[in-house]
């Protein structure tokens, strides 16, 4: 048996309300120049096969393990690299606060291969509140690196983000 003394259950939620975890940042929490770093993730053979099958990118460069391509190793589409990093951003930085991706421009710089480990640095480059509903357009530069700290892909994004709810702004 445990010696922990649990509080008696009450009919209502604790006061003050517990802080929500897992919520992305509101635009008011972002300043130009602020940087964030994602976790690292290894790109697997399964990632490659599922992605190219799902998207129809069934080129032999991606599916023939015996092909000796010009890039060496098993290259993965830049779109897969981008998608994995966007997954990190959606799950953390903008979860519940992201409204829309308004624009995106990518530049593939070096190949990413199966078994490479990638991560990204996100730099906020612009925050412009809109005229309605407490929203803002947030610009960022996302730089993706591999395990050797080689820049492999970079892109800019323009997103619409939600603002802090009026109930939180007053307090």
């Amino acid at each position: 048996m445990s010696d922990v003394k649990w509080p008696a259950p009450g009919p209502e939620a604790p006061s003050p309300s517990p802080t929500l975890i897992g919520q992305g940042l509101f635009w008011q929490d972002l300043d130009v120049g602020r940087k964030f770093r994602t976790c690292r993730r290894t790109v697997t053979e399964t990632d490659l096969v599922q992605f190219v099958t799902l998207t129809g990118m069934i080129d032999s460069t991606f599916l023939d393990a015996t092909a000796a391509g010009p890039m060496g190793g098993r290259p993965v589409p830049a779109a897969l690299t981008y998608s994995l990093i966007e997954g990190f951003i959606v799950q953390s930085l903008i979860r519940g606060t992201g409204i829309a991706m308004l624009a995106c421009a990518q530049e593939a710089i070096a190949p990413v291969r199966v078994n490479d480990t990638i991560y990204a640095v996100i730099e906020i480059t612009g925050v412009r509140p809109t005229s309605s509903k407490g929203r803002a357009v947030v610009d960022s530069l996302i730089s993706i690196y591999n395990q050797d700290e080689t820049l492999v892909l970079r892109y800019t994004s323009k997103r619409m983000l939600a603002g802090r709810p009026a109930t939180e702004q007053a307090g």
Side-chain angles (χ1 to χ4, degrees):
M1 275 318 254
S2 171
D3 292 335
V4 175
K5 303 294 184 210
W6 297 101
E12 46 191 68
S15 183
S17 297
T19 302
L20 178 66
I21 60 173
Q23 174 76 42
L25 299 176
F26 298 106
W27 69 262
Q28 294 97 329
D29 302 321
L30 301 173
D31 297 313
V32 172
R34 187 165 180 195
K35 293 183 180 181
F36 301 89
R37 186 186 161 290
T38 68
C39 294
R40 296 165 53 97
R41 186 186 192 290
T42 300
V43 182
T44 67
E45 176 80 15
T46 301
D47 294 330
L48 171 62
V49 172
Q50 288 182 342
F51 186 82
V52 299
T53 302
L54 176 67
T55 61
M57 294 183 188
I58 51 175
D59 186 78
S60 61
T61 303
F62 304 129
L63 290 177
D64 185 351
T66 65
M71 291 184 268
R74 289 290 296 281
V76 302
L80 171 56
T81 302
Y82 161 81
S83 296
L84 291 171
I85 294 303
E86 275 297 296
F88 276 143
I89 293 170
V90 169
Q91 293 171 37
S92 58
L93 192 61
I94 63 169
R95 182 177 183 181
T97 60
I99 297 171
M101 173 70 88
L102 303 174
C104 178
Q106 298 179 24
E107 178 185 15
I109 297 166
V112 173
R113 299 173 184 87
V114 169
N115 295 322
D116 279 357
T117 299
I118 60 171
Y119 72 93
V121 174
I122 302 104
E123 179 179 358
I124 305 303
T125 58
V127 179
R128 293 177 310 286
T130 64
S131 59
S132 65
K133 301 189 182 183
R135 301 173 179 176
V137 174
V138 176
D139 298 321
S140 58
L141 171 65
I142 298 94
S143 301
I144 304 174
Y145 299 89
N146 69 11
Q147 67 280 353
D148 299 322
E149 306 301 325
T150 300
L151 179 64
V152 296
L153 191 143
R154 74 177 148 221
Y155 63 101
T156 58
S157 72
K158 183 182 303 270
R159 304 174 202 266
M160 177 78 65
L161 293 187
R164 194 171 287 106
T167 57
E168 289 184 33
Q169 291 178 8

